[in-house]
Amino acid sequence: MDIASQMILFANVVDHGSFSATARALGLTPSAVSKQISQLEDRLGVRLLNRSTRHISTTLEGRTFYERCAEISAGVTRAEELAQSFSGRPQGNLRIAATVAFGKACLMPLMPAFTASFPEVTVALELTDRQIDLSDSDYDLAIRFPEQITDTSLVACKLSSSKRHLCASPAYLEAHGAPQTPDDLKDHNCLRISTVANWNDWHFRKGEETWTFAATGNFDANSADAVYHATLAGLGIAQLSSYLVDPDIAAGRLITLLPEYEEKATDIFAVYSDKRNLSPKVRVFIDYLVEHFRPLPH
């Protein structure tokens, strides 16, 4: 393997965190990956990785070297995508980031039909509610809510809208009662999402009057999905998207609170960096999402 290929392989090892994970991703054996990295270290005369039986980590020299290798790897990927775009045929690995709850509830059911329609496209989906930098990452696009979009250089395509319902389980309400106004929430256990601070500012509207309540309580989690399950378990009150809670509200597992004070619907976007080439695989996936979500009432 030439040095350029070894550098790209090294970047993959650091990104995946182990030889075995890299081997699975690239269709190699862990021993073959380890051998190539050892040859790269011998060639450079520098130790790049600290190895133990459980994990690997970069040395100081390895971390500095990784930054350059990652640039080269990203450049090769972009060049490959540009070449693929000339054919106009959707193909290659489509890297998507989506919030945990939306990914599970709304994206996963769409994957079988999409991959069947475009068999040359493979999908790598990461479910995360944390902030991500699309302009400096390997993601092709992300599914995001307005509170998560802080980079004004991103291109955003609206997919749909979703209401947010204030709700709690019957068990919680039996034990603690139901709030009658937004001001009553200060006396309740309000569940928080730790990854996006603005999600914990609950907005209410009644006529011309508006309220913003900063949720406080004894529980927070790093995804709306976890808060949703905590709400079902009776831990407290939460403000959650309609695509998550509508079935539970209809079945009586959750009760809508303060419906006369509900805020307006929030939009859901597919976003991507204008610095990246919009390859056919990205274009057809966005078109697929728009076709599916736009007709929905929420």
Side-chain angles (χ1 to χ4, degrees):
M1 187 179 286
D2 59 54
I3 188 170
S5 298
Q6 289 176 333
M7 290 171 69
I8 293 172
L9 180 63
F10 173 68
N12 273 274
V13 169
V14 176
D15 289 338
H16 286 94
S18 71
F19 294 137
S20 57
T22 305
R24 286 193 298 271
L26 300 181
L28 302 171
T29 64
S31 61
V33 174
S34 177
K35 179 180 178 181
Q36 289 298 327
I37 298 303
S38 294
Q39 289 181 357
L40 176 62
E41 290 175 320
D42 291 341
R43 172 179 266 163
L44 299 174
V46 174
R47 187 177 183 84
L48 301 173
L49 295 174
N50 295 313
R51 300 162 173 84
S52 72
T53 56
R54 295 195 173 188
H55 69 278
I56 61 171
S57 63
T58 55
T59 63
L60 178 61
E61 295 82 2
R63 171 52 55 180
T64 303
F65 187 62
Y66 163 77
E67 293 175 1
R68 183 55 58 87
C69 293
E71 291 175 5
I72 293 172
S73 180
V76 170
T77 299
R78 287 193 292 269
E80 182 181 18
E81 290 174 347
L82 180 62
Q84 290 172 351
S85 71
F86 297 150
S87 70
R89 189 173 74 251
Q91 57 183 309
N93 190 34
L94 178 64
R95 298 169 296 274
I96 308 164
T99 59
V100 179
F102 186 85
K104 287 183 177 181
C106 300
L107 279 188
M108 294 304 295
L110 303 181
M111 289 298 102
F114 176 77
T115 54
S117 299
F118 302 99
E120 293 185 71
V121 177
T122 60
V123 177
L125 173 63
E126 179 173 344
L127 300 182
T128 177
D129 287 356
R130 65 178 175 83
Q131 292 293 129
I132 57 174
D133 183 0
L134 276 178
S135 64
D136 188 29
S137 72
D138 290 333
Y139 297 117
D140 293 299
L141 76 157
I143 311 300
R144 283 294 182 257
F145 291 85
E147 296 92 339
Q148 296 173 295
I149 303 174
T150 57
D151 185 350
T152 57
S153 70
L154 296 177
V155 180
C157 174
K158 179 180 174 181
L159 299 178
S160 186
S161 297
S162 175
K163 285 187 175 181
R164 288 174 179 160
H165 297 297
L166 192 73
C167 54
S169 71
Y172 176 85
L173 297 177
E174 183 178 353
H176 303 281
Q180 301 303 309
T181 70
D183 292 333
D184 293 340
L185 289 171
K186 66 180 183 298
D187 299 320
H188 286 270
N189 194 37
C190 299
L191 311 183
R192 297 165 47 87
I193 302 171
S194 59
T195 44
V196 182
N198 289 343
W199 276 345
N200 301 310
D201 292 333
W202 297 353
H203 303 285
F204 302 95
R205 178 186 301 273
K206 186 178 183 181
E208 296 301 316
E209 195 170 4
T210 61
W211 292 262
T212 298
F213 174 76
T216 57
N218 65 6
F219 179 85
D220 62 47
N222 64 353
S223 77
D225 184 65
V227 170
Y228 160 67
H229 285 284
T231 308
L232 280 175
L235 189 57
I237 295 175
Q239 192 174 69
L240 296 165
S241 295
S242 56
Y243 61 79
L244 262 184
V245 299
D246 276 353
D248 299 288
I249 292 172
R253 292 184 293 268
L254 291 175
I255 307 298
T256 301
L257 305 174
L258 307 179
E260 67 274 25
Y261 292 92
E262 282 193 341
E263 67 170 321
K264 63 182 180 180
T266 186
D267 293 329
I268 304 170
F269 295 95
V271 296
Y272 59 92
S273 173
D274 62 357
K275 296 179 181 179
R276 296 182 66 85
N277 172 58
L278 189 61
S279 61
K281 65 184 179 184
V282 177
R283 190 177 299 113
V284 296
F285 186 68
I286 292 176
D287 289 345
Y288 177 76
L289 295 181
V290 169
E291 181 181 2
H292 178 82
F293 288 119
R294 282 280 172 87
L296 297 182
H298 296 302

